[in-house]
């Protein structure tokens, strides 16, 4: 068994939002979609695609579309908001640690933008309004968010706890 180490970066926004993930190389793209939803913090409300071609996500594996170090794959989530993620293969681990559960997140930065905030442009507008701390747009955004939003927030332990719930993956050595 091999494990792909991926860096997943949400494009078009600042501050940067990214995750470093380790997933089994034989993970199919439907399973990878679930991993990305959990790791990035999306809520799986919208359509998605890998790249710009029609592929059968239940049969095509990560190893097939992004086999080696340096390979890239685009993942788009929410065709209306247009969230593009660049997935880069950083490493292919040929001797994963026994007893380690995959998928897992080893690092990350930044909070996922809220669902339906309007894509990169809407998100930038939202952050400007929150930084202003005054005015009608600020009050509108605060009410829409139903409280606080910290764009720098990232909880590695919480992401890994959520990833453990994905039933398709088991610890190595089982």
């Amino acid at each position: 068994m091999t494990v792909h180490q991926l860096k997943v970066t949400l494009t078009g926004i600042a501050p940067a939002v990214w995750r470093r993930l380790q997933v089994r190389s034989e993970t199919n793209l439907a399973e990878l979609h679930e991993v990305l939803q959990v790791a990035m913090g999306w809520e799986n409300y919208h359509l998605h695609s890998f790249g710009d071609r029609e592929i059968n996500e239940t049969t095509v594996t990560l190893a097939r579309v992004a086999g080696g170090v340096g390979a890239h794959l685009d993942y788009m989530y929410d065709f209306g908001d247009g969230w593009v993620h660049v997935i880069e293969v950083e490493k292919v681990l040929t001797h994963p640690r026994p007893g380690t559960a995959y998928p897992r997140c080893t690092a990350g930065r930044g909070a996922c933008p809220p669902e339906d905030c309007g894509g990169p442009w809407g998100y930038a507008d939202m952050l400007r309004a929150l930084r202003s701390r005054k005015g009608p747009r600020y009050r509108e955004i605060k009410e829409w968010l139903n409280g606080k939003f910290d764009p720098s927030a990232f909880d590695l332990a919480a992401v890994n706890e959520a990833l453990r719930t994905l039933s398709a993956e088991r610890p190595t050595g089982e």
Side-chain angles (χ1 to χ4, degrees), residues 1-4 22-27 92-104 164 166-174:
M1 179 190 71
T2 60
V3 171
H4 271 52
Q22 293 180 340
V23 298
R24 293 174 189 237
S25 302
E26 71 266 13
T27 299
V92 177
L93 308 170
T94 55
H95 301 300
R97 293 187 308 166
T100 300
Y102 297 101
R104 70 186 196 130
R164 278 191 279 281
L166 296 178
S167 62
E169 304 287 349
R170 294 183 311 274
T172 60
E174 286 189 359

Side-chain angles (χ1 to χ4, degrees), residues 8-28:
V8 181
T9 305
L10 185 56
T11 65
I13 64 169
V17 175
W18 61 270
R19 305 290 183 263
R20 180 162 289 117
L21 303 171
Q22 293 180 340
V23 298
R24 293 174 189 237
S25 302
E26 71 266 13
T27 299
N28 69 43

Side-chain angles (χ1 to χ4, degrees), residues 77-98:
Y77 175 64
D78 185 350
F79 299 155
D81 279 2
W83 294 110
V84 176
H85 306 69
V86 173
I87 302 168
E88 178 187 359
V89 178
E90 292 184 319
K91 296 178 184 177
V92 177
L93 308 170
T94 55
H95 301 300
R97 293 187 308 166

Side-chain angles (χ1 to χ4, degrees), residues 128-147:
R128 270 192 305 279
L130 290 174
R131 280 191 302 268
S132 77
R133 302 180 85 54
K134 62 184 178 203
R137 183 70 175 138
Y138 170 75
R139 289 188 297 277
E140 176 187 359
I141 294 292
K142 288 295 281 188
E143 183 177 328
W144 179 71
L145 290 170
N146 196 22

Side-chain angles (χ1 to χ4, degrees), residues 1 6 20 24 39 45 48 72 85 87 106 125 131 155:
M1 179 190 71
L6 310 171
R20 180 162 289 117
R24 293 174 189 237
Y45 293 158
H48 71 277
H72 288 82
H85 306 69
I87 302 168
T106 62
D125 175 65
R131 280 191 302 268
D155 186 338

